[in-house]
Amino acid sequence: MTDETGLRGAAIIPGLRYADAPGAIEWLCAAFGFERHLVVPGENGKIAHAQLTYRNSMIMLGSGHDGDYDELLIHPKDAGAVTQAPYVIVDDVDAHCDRARAAGAEIIMEPADQDYGGRLYSCRDIERHVWNFGSYDPWAELEH
């Protein structure tokens, strides 16, 4: 798969679990600009599997299924912290932050210029997963 710039899709795709995966899909699209690529409904209003895209990248998510894999994961609400936080490259950090804030994201680090270049902000989504959005593109350094 390629995007409008001709870039191939990302080889690393973060996977997340949400207690309210249908609500999370709606929110992630509205707040962060993700688009639905594939949504597979599960039983009892749950999501068996979903793929959301942003530019040439993707995240996968779903509802917990009480299976063997789910025993390996702990939800941020239960853990009180997270062990990973996706970084997403955006064109306009401040406008993206405003959009996320308006949708109810908890901004935990306001947009700021970074010593290594670009701007960055961090937030929690509706289920307390931490997300980082910045204008710094580490791939651009490889092109020079």
Side-chain angles (χ1 to χ4, degrees):
M1 174 184 108
T2 59
D3 72 1
E4 66 278 359
T5 64
L7 296 173
R8 183 177 177 275
I12 298 174
I13 302 171
L16 302 142
R17 286 284 194 246
Y18 284 89
D20 177 10
I25 291 169
E26 294 295 322
W27 191 88
L28 291 166
C29 291
F32 295 161
F34 281 101
E35 295 181 6
R36 291 165 188 82
H37 177 70
L38 173 69
V39 178
V40 180
E43 295 179 6
N44 302 319
K46 293 188 175 191
I47 299 296
H49 177 76
Q51 300 168 359
L52 304 181
T53 59
Y54 185 86
R55 293 176 150 180
N56 68 327
S57 299
M58 179 182 293
I59 62 169
M60 294 182 183
L61 65 98
S63 304
H65 303 292
D66 298 323
D68 292 341
Y69 180 72
D70 293 281
E71 291 181 14
L72 302 173
L73 306 175
I74 188 166
H75 193 280
K77 287 182 179 179
D78 298 328
V82 297
T83 60
Q84 60 179 325
Y87 174 77
V88 182
I89 300 167
V90 297
D91 293 324
D92 186 333
V93 173
D94 295 275
H96 195 277
C97 181
D98 290 342
R99 176 182 181 166
R101 187 189 319 271
E106 176 192 352
I107 308 304
I108 54 179
M109 290 175 50
E110 291 290 337
D113 293 331
Q114 302 299 304
D115 292 341
Y116 53 82
R119 285 180 69 71
L120 172 82
Y121 84 92
S122 300
C123 67
R124 291 186 193 278
D125 68 19
I126 56 174
E127 292 197 14
R128 301 195 51 78
H129 292 279
V130 173
W131 293 81
N132 301 289
F133 295 92
S135 59
Y136 172 71
D137 181 355
W139 294 109
E141 293 179 359
L142 299 174
E143 297 171 2
H144 298 294

